[in-house]
Every structure is written in C-alpha cells, then in structure tokens.
Amino acid sequence: MATRYYTFSRFIPPQPAADNPAGNLSTMIGEVISIGDELTSGQRLDTNSQWLSTRLTELGVRVRYHTTVADDLGANVQVFRAAADRADVVVATGGLGPTADDLTREALADVSGQELELHEDVLEFIRGLFARFSREMPERNRVQALFPRGSRVIPNPNGTAPGIDITIPRADGGTSRIFALPGVPAEMFPMFDNYIAPAIGPAAGVHGVIRHRRIKCFGAGESHIEQMLPDIIRRGRDPAVGITVSEATITLRITAHGKDEAECLQSMEPTVATIYQCLGYLAYGEEEDEIEDVVSRLLTERNLTLATVEWGTAGLVSERLCNAPGGRQRHAGGFVISNAAEAERLLGVPARLAEGAGAVSGELVEALARAARERTGADLALAVSALPVVARSGTDSPKVFIGLATGEGVTVRSAPCFGDPSI
C-alpha cells in the first residue's frame, strides 16, 4: 500500500467576490451594568450580562459597554453617570436587596438629583409576600419600596425587589433610560421580558433588529485568517465582521442590522459567500460546531468507522470524538500509548520505531495507523504523535505527526506544534 507524505502549508485564497453591504440603520446604544462585590472579587461568574446583551441585541440595541462595579456608593454613582452620558439604554442588575450593601436606589437618586420617596402600594405588596409564608416583614425590607422621585416601578411578581425605571437628562439634550433589575436570574428574566422588552422595542420607536452569524475556522492563525479576508474585517462595515480565537479555533462573527431578521440574514449572504470562497476548507462549521462535531457528522453521512491511536495526547482525540453527537457510534476503538513497549505489545509496531526521536515521526504514525486499522477492522484509523521533542531538522521546533490509514494506504502529515499538544 502506498504512503503519501504532506506538510501543512498556507492556503492561498482566490480574490474575494464583490460585496454589497446594506445601508446602516440608526440604532440605540446600550450598556449593561453588573453590581456586586461577589462579581468584582471573582467569587461568582457574571452570566447576567451575557443574557442581557443577547436580549438587547435581539431588540435592536447595540450594546457597546459592559461595566462591573463593587458594592460601593461612590463607585456606583460614577458608573451610572458615565453610562447615562454614553448610552441610550442602560440595564443594571444587582443592588436592590434590603441590606446595607444594596446601594442601587441611592446611586440612582444621586445621579438623577431626586430624593427617594416611599411607594405605599409597593410596600404593601412586599408585606403581602411575607404574609403569604406566615412571616412578618423585617423593617429593613421597607427600603425596597423607596424609589427616586419621578421614576417608575418595574413589577417583580417573584420577589421582594421591584425594579426601577428612570430617565436621566443628558447635557447634549438627549436622555438615557436606566432600568435597574434584581440580580437573581429567576426574577430578572421575566421582568426584562414583560417590562423592558416592550418598553424599548418597536412600540417604543426602536426600529430594526441586530442578528449575528458565526463561522468557525481551524488550520491558520488569527492574523493569517484576517489577511486572507481583504476588506472584510474593517471598521464601519455593514455587515460587520469580528474575529476571535479560542484554543486555536477562529470564530468570524458577522453582525447585521436590518428592519427584521430576514433582511439581516439576506444582507449577510454576500459576506458569508466571500468568507467561504477565501478560506476554503479552513471554514469547517457554524455557530456551536466544534471540529469533532463536523467529523462525527461526516463519518455518519458516509457510514464510516474510525479507530484512534494516540501517543502524547492522553486520549484527547478519542475523548473529543466520543463526546460529539453520534461520535461513540462511529468510534471503532482506541489505543493510548506512551512508550515503545506498549506500541509493540498492543499493536505489534516494532519498538525500534518508537524509541528516542522516533516517538515523533512520520514513520511511527504510519505504522500505528496501519496497525490500528487492521486490529479493529475500522474503515479509517487515525494516529497522532504530539510529544514536543526536538525535530529531526536539528532545530528546536517541536512537531506533531498525524497518520490516516484507509483502504488505499496511509496519508501522513506533519505540522509545527505551537503551545500545548492538546491544541
């Protein structure tokens, strides 16, 4: 059987197709503020900001700022003043409880220049919540019925912390509308959906929506991907294209603003076509797709099974494949080896191939892939050797070798191994 050797090289893209970006629509600028010592100290992860930003974006608000602030009155006042100056819509969570470190209402009173006043109907509602559980309301909970004069109450049917809706005038003649919600997600979610969404949606004069589409890429660095996409990733473009990286997976996030979802998706299509034309096989999936998900789908579509044999990865390849939907059904078995004796005992590969520098070589992965396919009866067998040792060229550049055995032979590839072998 023939053996083919390849080395990964940079993909040279064709010229991009012409793109016709849609015209920009005016939009409201938003800011999300998260309040609490538990957030600024790192004791708790802030998931509220992510949820709120997603919902605001769906409503057509372009969220430009995320701010996290501790339970400090002076700091809260500064944060709310800055937010009111730069954002049309501000949604804050936290600081509406009854304890001494819940300072949101005082901060908003300071920023608005209005005194706090008692809402008797809110106080009676809070008393009723305690009475429902045969408990007397502590006097400290009275503060939760205090609101800056001129503000509006956001009902909270699931807790004792009503929200605050207040409009702050700006020096430029505009206004900023600030919504303060409790930090408890079970209370915050319905309050946003039932009150804030209708208040700032189309009925309130906000026209258009914002939609995102994510394309996943692997096989080139972030700067190379950007270089391969001329004029796509530039400021002020609509649809906008952002680029992020996580564990060597590059995500291209396309953002479009239109009158409705259909218009957004349609305006993205020329950009999507250009990305796929320029990147070719480097663009492997979209949205939540990981590489192993796509591999599992391809194996299923083609009714193929895959065996794995790994040296230096501690079984990461088989683990990721088996965790992908349908991956366990496509995985024909795996071998995880770490020394020459195991290679010979488990797969019959001569120990001499796996000794010393041979532990990371094309010759070794070829033998491992061929043996794994024969032992398991799989349609395909993938062998990986990723020990960061000195390459045969004499340089200090570690390499990873990959061998794929099929019924036609074994294909061997190599690439520089940057960072952790798991990547």
Side-chain angles (χ1 to χ4, degrees):
M1 289 187 290
T3 301
R4 302 184 297 276
Y5 287 85
Y6 298 90
T7 300
F8 288 126
S9 60
R10 182 173 176 269
F11 178 82
I12 306 298
Q15 293 299 312
D19 205 350
N20 298 305
N24 283 312
L25 296 175
S26 60
T27 186
M28 300 181 77
I29 302 304
E31 179 162 352
V32 175
I33 299 175
S34 299
I35 304 168
D37 287 345
E38 71 279 9
L39 301 176
T40 56
S41 65
Q43 297 178 38
R44 179 169 294 178
L45 181 65
D46 174 21
T47 57
N48 284 351
S49 290
Q50 180 186 30
W51 188 89
L52 287 169
S53 293
T54 300
R55 292 291 288 114
L56 287 168
T57 298
E58 290 171 352
L59 293 168
V61 177
R62 192 180 298 275
V63 179
R64 281 189 180 168
Y65 309 96
H66 278 192
T67 303
T68 306
V69 61
D71 294 315
D72 177 89
L73 183 58
N76 272 251
V77 170
Q78 290 178 341
V79 162
F80 277 113
R81 280 180 178 159
D85 285 341
R86 65 193 181 190
D88 304 301
V89 175
V90 179
V91 182
T93 61
L96 291 177
T99 61
D101 61 352
D102 291 306
L103 305 168
T104 298
R105 58 183 60 83
E106 286 105 317
L108 289 176
D110 190 305
V111 171
S112 64
Q114 301 294 330
E115 297 290 332
L116 289 171
E117 60 182 14
L118 182 69
H119 283 232
E120 291 290 349
D121 55 339
V122 174
L123 182 61
E124 288 307 309
F125 175 80
I126 297 173
R127 283 201 180 104
L129 287 177
F130 280 92
R132 191 182 306 169
F133 296 98
S134 302
R135 294 171 57 194
E136 184 176 347
M137 185 193 81
E139 185 61 25
R140 182 63 193 175
N141 283 84
R142 182 183 178 87
V143 303
Q144 293 181 293
L146 296 175
F147 294 81
R149 184 178 294 114
S151 65
R152 297 161 289 274
V153 177
I154 302 177
N156 179 4
N158 301 309
T160 64
I164 301 172
D165 172 8
I166 188 167
T167 301
I168 306 295
R170 291 202 299 243
D172 62 4
T175 60
S176 177
R177 192 167 180 181
I178 299 177
F179 302 91
L181 302 176
V184 180
E187 299 177 22
M188 188 251 307
F189 292 169
M191 292 172 72
F192 183 96
D193 289 336
N194 296 332
Y195 184 95
I196 297 179
I200 64 176
V206 178
H207 300 291
V209 299
I210 300 172
R211 290 294 181 266
H212 302 291
R213 183 171 173 180
R214 292 179 295 164
I215 297 178
K216 299 288 194 69
C217 311
F218 185 87
E222 186 177 10
S223 58
H224 285 156
I225 292 288
E226 183 173 9
Q227 185 179 351
M228 295 162 70
L229 296 169
D231 202 43
I232 294 291
I233 306 174
R234 62 174 168 83
R235 297 297 179 186
R237 187 180 184 278
D238 189 5
V241 180
I243 184 169
T244 57
V245 59
S246 176
E247 293 187 347
T249 294
I250 309 294
T251 300
L252 298 170
R253 187 185 66 259
I254 309 167
T255 302
H257 184 201
K259 65 181 181 181
D260 54 32
E261 183 174 21
E263 183 175 276
C264 288
L265 297 177
Q266 183 178 6
S267 71
M268 292 180 190
E269 283 305 321
T271 299
V272 171
T274 298
I275 290 173
Y276 279 113
Q277 181 187 19
C278 288
L279 299 186
Y281 63 82
L282 296 181
Y284 70 83
E286 296 195 20
E287 300 307 331
E288 302 300 330
D289 274 341
E290 300 295 345
I291 295 176
E292 57 267 29
D293 300 326
V294 178
V295 170
S296 177
R297 284 203 298 270
L298 289 171
L299 291 171
T300 301
E301 290 169 6
R302 301 177 187 186
N303 195 28
L304 297 173
T305 56
L306 174 71
T308 56
V309 53
E310 305 175 58
W311 181 300
T313 65
L316 285 174
V317 175
S318 58
E319 178 187 26
R320 293 184 69 161
L321 177 62
C322 288
N323 285 335
R328 290 184 183 274
Q329 289 71 35
R330 298 292 104 194
H331 191 222
F335 304 86
V336 179
I337 57 179
S338 58
N339 57 64
E342 288 181 354
E344 187 164 16
R345 177 173 60 86
L346 295 174
L347 291 165
V349 174
R352 60 176 179 79
L353 294 179
E355 292 174 343
V360 182
S361 69
E363 190 178 10
L364 175 62
V365 295
E366 176 193 350
L368 292 175
R370 198 189 308 276
R373 183 172 181 271
E374 292 173 353
R375 291 291 176 94
T376 61
D379 298 302
L380 309 169
L382 183 71
V384 178
S385 180
L387 287 176
V389 299
V390 176
R392 290 188 174 188
S393 62
T395 67
D396 291 330
S397 174
K399 282 194 172 185
V400 55
F401 283 86
I402 305 166
L404 181 67
T406 71
E408 298 178 354
V410 182
T411 299
V412 174
R413 294 188 178 184
S414 67
C417 183
F418 299 107
D420 190 271
S422 64
I423 294 177

